[in-house]
């Protein structure tokens, strides 16, 4: 199968250079990649419902007879609507199609078909819009649905996959050694590939998914283990490590025990004979920035440079100001570099970096531009690491000659999972908040309480505080008409409830200057209420704002909600987070209540893991590893544990994967981890 990854997709009939570009867009430029492009869903025609019993608003299959003639209706130029009635012994449905003459002609009056689509019930009427249908002779079919892109429809991908399948050799070499397959009851690769695309039945589909998920996780585990063993390099930037007391004396507060412990863990790394590769996990507000500052100070005092990369200009500026303040009384040259830095200034900064005049540089992606060079870069730090891809983080590290690498993350991951996902780095956890932090009172309410909440916000503002209001959208679109959009919402607040107050608006489509301008106004309390999208999720620090209102809270993940809540409760004032949701789903309500019950990010992550399975953590690509297509959807942690055990077993028997039985596995790992010898995953 491995060699199919070298065979261009154009080899397939009907794929020319134009279509090749489309396949490339969906990450399938080769035959092998196409076979590994798994369907996003299936149309299961194998178990049709009776119309009366069919669920509402979820995709399902029904078996029905065409019981009327097709009626054609020209709605406007270029838009024709077709209506037809279908029925079984329990009820009938009005079906609508648009512009699909060729397909709809196949629906012959009096004949029976299987229809797949969503049923809508409006009063006593039942309707279906543009269902897919097949003759009943195909009744056992489970059809794959692929994520399509403009110009490349699911059925075209399906046809290509069918062709590609014919190129699979009879005996496909399986990367999972046979004894492992037997031990964990996994089916072989050929069976899995066939059945993930064209399942013979639901059981076979299940087995195929299980096996392919296992394979992804096994590859991940093995790749990470090998990376970890190659990650460690001889330390070229050994520090003295005696500067911490001096650093502490520069602060206006004392460090928490957790901060001191984590700083020590990092200092010990940088003093040792190996390069540091460490992840710091610390809940929002736990004080990661000051830890970063301490380490920068150490490296600078030992004569080297440090670089800190953050995902937004707002955050870069905030860190820069914080560093400036701490280091105001000592001789440390700190510089800010972002996309808005003037060209002339950038030129100067480049020179000063290259000649070693700058000790600490704080910036955005600009730091990894090709034309940036350092003279003696000893430490690179990536803050809010999940916002960066692995190659961006690696690029920052490649600006030096194997510098120490630190990444910081505020997205807590349950310990069990972190050990697995971050198998290639050491982990430090800041599990303590700076003193004086109050619990943020958190409430879940429905929208009928909105006006009462506005009153409450007014009261807080009148006491001098500020508020955030977060909405899921920037502007309304047709498909999301029931969600609240920031632009119109801000407008409404300005002209209604909050006429006498300053309401600001910030969202991701604004450019960096606009965002900075709004943020600085908010920081100066020239804006009382900031209506925003999740752009404020990352790191923003305005201690005077004490209330966070989240509209359509059910649209956000638990960790995201927790991050948003972390924007308040950063100063000395009592703070509140209010989530509005009208969701009736029991699962959603349970999830949202979990946020109300605790302020501890790790507990919330544990709860999320229990409720939604590990897929969310793996799928969010925080690790920046090979794409986990199926494992990202996984609901059950057991496969992950099995894969971890299997990986340990394989590597303890054959650490270099040099035995014959592991040859295919080794080739697969090499394909998936092309940078395996360069190290630097974090
Ligand atoms: P995060 O971990 O979310 O990045 P920050 O580094 O932004 O947190 O810190 C949040 C706030 O707490 C900042 O205003 C910072 O100055 C303050 N802070 C950090 N450590 C301490 C401490 N030990 N004592 C008091 N305040 C602290
Ligand atoms: Mg931070």
């Amino acid at each position: 199968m491995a060699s199919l990854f070298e065979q261009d997709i154009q080899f397939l009939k009907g794929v020319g250079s134009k279509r090749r570009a489309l396949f490339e867009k969906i990450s399938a430029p080769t035959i092998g990649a196409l076979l590994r492009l798994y369907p996003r869903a299936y149309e299961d025609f194998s178990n049709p419902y009776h119309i009366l019993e069919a669920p509402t608003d979820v995709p399902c299959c029904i078996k029905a007879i065409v019981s009327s003639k097709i009626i054609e209706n020209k709605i406007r130029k270029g838009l024709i609507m077709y209506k037809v009635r279908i029925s079984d012994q329990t009820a009938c449905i009005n079906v609508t199609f648009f512009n699909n003459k060729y397909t709809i002609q196949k629906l012959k009056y009096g004949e029976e078909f299987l229809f797949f689509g969503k049923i809508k019930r409006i009063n006593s009427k039942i309707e279906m819009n543009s269902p897919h249908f097949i003759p009943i002779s195909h009744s056992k079919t489970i059809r794959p649905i692929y994520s399509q892109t403009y110009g490349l429809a699911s059925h075209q991908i399906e046809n290509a996959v069918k062709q590609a399948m014919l190129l699979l050799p009879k005996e496909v070499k399986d990367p999972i050694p046979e004894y492992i397959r037997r031990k964990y009851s996994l089916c072989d690769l050929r069976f899995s590939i066939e059945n993930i695309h064209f399942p013979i039945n639901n059981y076979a589909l299940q087995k195929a998914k299980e096996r392919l998920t296992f394979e992804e996780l096994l590859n991940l585990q093995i790749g990470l283990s090998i990376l970890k063993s190659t990650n460690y390099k001889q330390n070229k930037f050994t520090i003295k490590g005696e500067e911490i007391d001096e650093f502490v004396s520069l602060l206006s507060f004392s460090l928490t025990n957790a901060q001191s412990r984590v700083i020590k863990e990092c200092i010990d790394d940088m003093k040792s004979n190996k390069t540091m590769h460490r992840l710091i996990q610390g809940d929002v507000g736990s004080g990661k920035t000051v830890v970063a500052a301490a380490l920068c100070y150490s490296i600078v005092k030992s004569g080297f440079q440090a670089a800190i990369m953050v995902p937004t200009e707002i955050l870069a500026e905030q860190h820069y100001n914080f560093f400036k303040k701490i280091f105001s009384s000592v001789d440390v040259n700190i510089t800010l570099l972002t996309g808005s830095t003037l060209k002339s200034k950038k030129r100067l900064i480049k020179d000063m970096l290259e000649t070693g005049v700058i000790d600490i540089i704080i910036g955005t992606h600009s730091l990894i531009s090709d034309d940036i060079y350092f003279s003696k870069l000893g430490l690179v730090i990536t803050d809010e690491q999940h916002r960066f891809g692995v190659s961006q983080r690696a690029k920052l590290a490649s600006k030096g000659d194997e510098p120490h690498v630190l990444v910081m993350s505020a997205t807590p991951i349950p310990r069990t999972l972190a050990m697995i996902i971050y198998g290639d780095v050491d982990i430090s956890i800041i599990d303590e908040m700076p003193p004086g932090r109050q619990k943020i009172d958190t409430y879940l309410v429905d929208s009928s309480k909105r006006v009462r909440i506005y009153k409450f916000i007014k009261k807080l503002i009148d006491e001098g505080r500020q508020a955030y209001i977060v909405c899921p959208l920037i502007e309304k679109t047709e498909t999301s008409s029931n969600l609240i959009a920031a632009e119109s919402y801000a407008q409404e607040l300005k002209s209604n409830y909050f006429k006498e107050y300053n309401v600001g608006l910030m969202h991701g489509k604004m450019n960096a200057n606009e965002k900075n301008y709004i943020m600085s106004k908010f920081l100066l309390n020239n804006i009382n209420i900031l209506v925003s999208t999740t752009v404020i999720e990352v790191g923003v620090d305005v201690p005077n704002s004490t209330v966070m209102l989240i509209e359509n809270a059910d649209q956000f993940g638990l960790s995201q909600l927790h991050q948003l809540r972390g924007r308040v409760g950063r100063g000395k004032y009592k703070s509140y987070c209010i989530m509005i949701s009208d969701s009736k789903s029991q699962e959603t309500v349970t999830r949202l209540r979990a946020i109300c019950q605790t302020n501890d990010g790790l507990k919330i992550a544990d709860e999320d893991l229990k409720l939604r399975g590990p897929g969310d953590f793996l799928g969010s690509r925080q690790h920046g590893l090979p794409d986990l297509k199926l494992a990202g959807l996984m609901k059950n942690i057991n496969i992950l544990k099995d894969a971890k055990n299997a990986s340990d077993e394989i590597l303890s028997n054959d650490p270099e994967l040099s035995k014959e039985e592991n040859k295919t596995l080794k080739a697969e790992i090499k394909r998936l981890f092309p940078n395996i010898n360069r190290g630097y995953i974090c």
Side-chain angles (χ1 to χ4, degrees):
M1 170 123 190
S3 61
L4 289 180
F5 279 91
E6 279 146 34
Q7 202 154 16
D8 199 279
I9 193 89
Q10 278 200 57
F11 188 80
L12 298 180
K13 250 193 286 163
V15 183
S17 62
K18 241 191 191 156
R19 193 159 276 183
R20 184 193 188 281
L22 294 174
F23 275 103
E24 179 139 31
K25 209 165 148 196
I26 56 168
S27 310
T30 65
I31 311 257
L34 179 66
L35 289 172
R36 291 286 193 175
L37 183 85
Y38 309 135
R40 112 185 122 68
Y42 299 85
E43 284 180 354
D44 185 355
F45 289 93
S46 67
N47 269 316
Y49 282 98
H50 287 306
I51 296 175
L52 255 191
E53 286 153 10
T56 309
D57 281 335
V58 284
C60 69
C61 173
I62 51 155
K63 185 154 99 176
I65 293 175
V66 179
S67 56
S68 79
K69 291 264 182 278
I70 297 168
I71 299 170
E72 193 176 312
N73 234 327
K74 206 166 191 175
I75 304 233
R76 55 179 154 79
K77 199 160 180 252
L79 186 65
I80 305 173
M81 183 170 79
Y82 301 92
K83 283 195 166 233
V84 67
R85 197 199 283 272
I86 60 172
S87 39
D88 67 6
Q89 64 268 42
T90 66
C92 63
I93 301 183
N94 295 320
V95 179
T96 318
F97 294 92
F98 293 95
N99 282 358
N100 220 337
K101 190 159 190 143
Y102 173 74
T103 313
I104 199 169
Q105 273 169 354
K106 296 179 189 159
L107 285 177
K108 294 267 162 14
Y109 180 74
E111 283 181 17
E112 199 170 20
F113 292 85
L114 290 158
F115 295 85
F116 193 96
K118 277 187 192 169
I119 283 188
K120 295 218 173 301
R121 292 188 160 83
I122 301 158
N123 301 325
S124 60
K125 282 204 179 114
I126 311 181
E127 295 183 355
M128 221 175 187
N129 241 332
S130 308
H132 288 159
F133 60 88
I134 56 172
I136 48 167
S137 55
H138 297 188
S139 67
K140 287 290 170 221
T141 308
I142 301 174
R143 277 188 62 183
I145 308 289
Y146 297 90
S147 296
Q148 43 197 23
T149 180
Y150 189 73
L152 191 61
S154 175
H155 70 93
Q156 290 167 316
I157 301 172
E158 182 182 339
N159 284 338
V161 174
K162 270 187 190 144
Q163 273 193 64
M165 206 73 91
L166 300 175
L167 301 173
L168 262 186
K170 261 239 140 5
E171 292 279 321
V172 183
K173 283 193 191 134
D174 197 324
I176 306 185
E178 202 191 333
Y179 73 96
I180 295 286
R181 265 185 281 144
R182 208 170 309 130
K183 180 163 176 184
Y184 294 97
S185 317
L186 302 168
C187 51
D188 68 31
L189 181 57
R190 194 187 168 100
F191 179 91
S192 320
I193 293 286
E194 280 169 0
N195 281 281
I196 194 86
H197 291 289
F198 306 108
I200 45 175
N201 55 40
N202 275 304
Y203 180 71
L205 174 59
Q206 200 46 43
K207 289 304 282 180
K209 273 190 186 163
E210 242 173 65
R211 136 83 208 217
L212 293 169
T213 306
F214 186 100
E215 184 180 323
E216 281 180 0
L217 295 168
L218 179 69
N219 289 335
L220 177 69
Q221 289 305 307
I222 292 193
L224 284 174
S225 302
I226 296 179
L227 273 175
K228 185 160 191 164
S229 63
T230 57
N231 242 351
Y232 291 105
K233 304 270 164 44
Q234 189 65 33
N235 187 354
K236 296 176 184 158
F237 303 96
T238 313
I239 57 162
K240 297 183 215 86
E242 288 147 9
E243 311 80 0
I244 292 306
D245 290 343
E246 218 175 289
F247 174 79
V248 170
S249 72
L250 302 174
L251 300 175
S252 58
F253 49 78
S254 32
L255 294 173
T256 64
N257 290 331
Q259 283 170 326
S260 302
R261 188 192 70 238
V262 170
I263 291 174
K264 183 170 182 309
E265 284 166 0
C266 298
I267 295 284
D268 285 349
D269 282 356
M270 295 197 285
K271 267 164 56 180
S272 77
N273 55 2
K274 290 184 211 144
T275 304
M276 170 168 76
H277 273 261
R278 196 169 274 279
L279 163 77
I280 296 182
Q281 265 204 47
D283 213 341
V284 224
S286 62
K288 293 183 289 293
T289 321
V290 68
V291 172
L295 304 177
C296 289
Y297 189 67
S298 273
I299 204 93
V300 168
K301 282 282 150 176
S302 296
F304 310 117
Q305 293 170 299
I308 305 181
M309 183 164 72
V310 299
T312 64
E313 295 205 5
I314 298 175
L315 206 52
E317 232 162 81
Q318 207 170 276
H319 280 18
Y320 173 71
N321 292 332
F322 180 72
F323 273 56
K324 271 288 209 209
K325 208 162 84 191
I326 298 183
F327 296 124
S328 57
S329 60
V330 286
D331 180 24
V332 176
N333 189 338
I334 306 160
T335 301
L336 176 71
L337 178 68
T338 69
S340 340
T341 308
L342 292 178
K343 257 204 178 129
S344 52
K345 184 145 188 225
K346 190 172 169 191
R347 220 170 297 133
L348 193 66
I349 292 175
K350 273 165 50 185
D351 282 348
M352 293 198 298
L353 275 177
E354 245 180 292
T355 49
V357 177
I358 293 174
D359 298 311
I360 302 174
I361 187 146
I362 299 173
T364 54
H365 299 79
S366 306
L367 289 181
I368 51 175
S369 328
D370 284 334
D371 55 353
I372 299 281
Y373 301 95
F374 290 80
S375 82
K376 46 192 174 169
L377 181 61
L379 169 66
V380 297
I381 301 178
T382 312
D383 193 12
E384 308 291 348
Q385 57 94 21
H386 62 285
R387 289 289 185 110
F388 294 96
V390 63
S391 60
Q392 291 171 320
R393 303 197 304 252
K395 193 151 185 204
L396 183 62
S398 74
K399 298 276 174 193
D401 179 14
E402 289 163 8
H404 297 294
V405 175
L406 183 72
V407 296
M408 306 202 293
S409 166
T411 314
I413 293 181
R415 216 172 270 262
T416 43
L417 218 50
M419 304 299 281
I420 296 173
I421 297 175
Y422 294 111
D424 68 322
V425 291
D426 298 305
I427 302 175
S428 290
I429 299 180
I430 308 183
D431 51 5
E432 181 188 354
M433 286 289 171
R437 284 290 149 77
Q438 301 175 15
K439 187 176 163 292
I440 301 165
D441 285 351
T442 307
Y443 304 96
L444 173 64
V445 298
D446 63 40
S447 54
S448 68
K449 306 277 188 327
R450 192 174 282 122
V451 175
R452 264 177 67 185
I453 294 163
Y454 287 163
K455 266 195 196 146
F456 177 65
I457 292 179
K458 264 187 190 158
K459 184 178 140 264
L460 292 175
I461 296 178
D462 292 342
E463 289 168 9
R465 305 287 81 76
Q466 287 162 278
Y468 293 105
I469 301 184
V470 172
C471 308
L473 300 177
I474 300 177
E475 54 198 336
K476 274 203 195 303
T477 61
E478 270 175 42
T479 50
S480 57
S481 54
N482 54 345
L483 296 182
I484 291 178
E487 272 180 348
S488 48
Y489 192 91
Q491 211 50 51
E492 201 179 308
L493 291 189
K494 266 186 224 170
S495 46
N496 279 316
Y497 299 100
F498 292 98
K499 257 196 208 123
E500 298 89 52
Y501 297 81
N502 291 321
V503 179
L505 170 70
M506 192 168 79
H507 57 69
K509 279 198 187 156
M510 290 177 163
N511 67 31
N513 278 339
E514 289 170 316
K515 278 191 271 189
N516 281 343
Y517 174 69
I518 297 285
M519 236 19 245
S520 57
K521 270 177 80 175
F522 191 60
L523 198 56
L524 294 171
N525 201 355
N526 290 337
I527 290 176
N528 306 115
I529 304 176
L530 183 60
V531 178
S532 150
T533 54
T534 51
V535 281
I536 53 135
E537 173 198 345
V538 170
V540 174
D541 193 22
V542 181
N544 190 47
S545 46
T546 56
V547 57
M548 161 69 64
L549 171 61
I550 305 171
E551 291 281 359
N552 297 122
D554 43 279
Q555 296 297 309
F556 303 96
L558 283 194
S559 292
Q560 207 173 18
L561 289 169
H562 179 62
Q563 289 272 337
L564 287 171
R565 173 170 60 181
R567 298 306 113 220
V568 296
R570 298 175 83 88
K572 51 184 185 286
Y573 309 106
K574 173 88 198 145
S575 295
Y576 308 87
C577 172
I578 302 155
M579 301 182 286
I580 300 187
S581 165
D582 287 328
S583 170
K584 299 276 177 294
S585 146
Q586 196 51 48
E587 191 195 315
T588 306
V589 173
T590 313
R591 281 180 48 225
L592 295 179
R593 289 232 171 98
I595 295 268
C596 300
Q597 274 149 16
T598 176
N599 274 267
D600 180 336
L602 263 179
K603 275 200 192 134
I604 289 169
D606 271 334
E607 192 62 23
D608 222 8
L609 178 65
K610 256 189 258 152
L611 291 171
R612 301 216 285 181
D616 265 12
F617 296 95
L618 295 169
S620 55
R621 301 181 121 234
Q622 285 163 1
H623 40 72
L625 292 165
D627 201 5
L628 295 170
K629 296 166 182 157
L630 291 167
L633 306 169
M634 188 175 47
K635 290 276 177 210
N636 183 338
I637 198 165
N638 291 335
I639 304 186
L640 187 60
K641 289 184 176 155
D642 283 352
K644 169 94 178 112
N645 290 337
S647 156
D648 291 348
E649 194 171 339
I650 293 170
L651 288 174
S652 70
N653 290 332
D654 183 14
E656 307 274 307
L657 299 182
S658 44
K659 289 188 184 167
E660 185 58 32
E661 66 189 18
N662 293 325
K663 228 175 109 189
T664 316
L665 179 61
K666 186 171 188 170
E668 192 66 2
I669 299 283
K670 270 209 170 134
R671 183 178 73 75
L672 291 169
F673 292 80
N675 296 332
I676 202 144
N677 292 321
R678 281 209 274 123
Y680 290 134
I681 255 312
C682 82

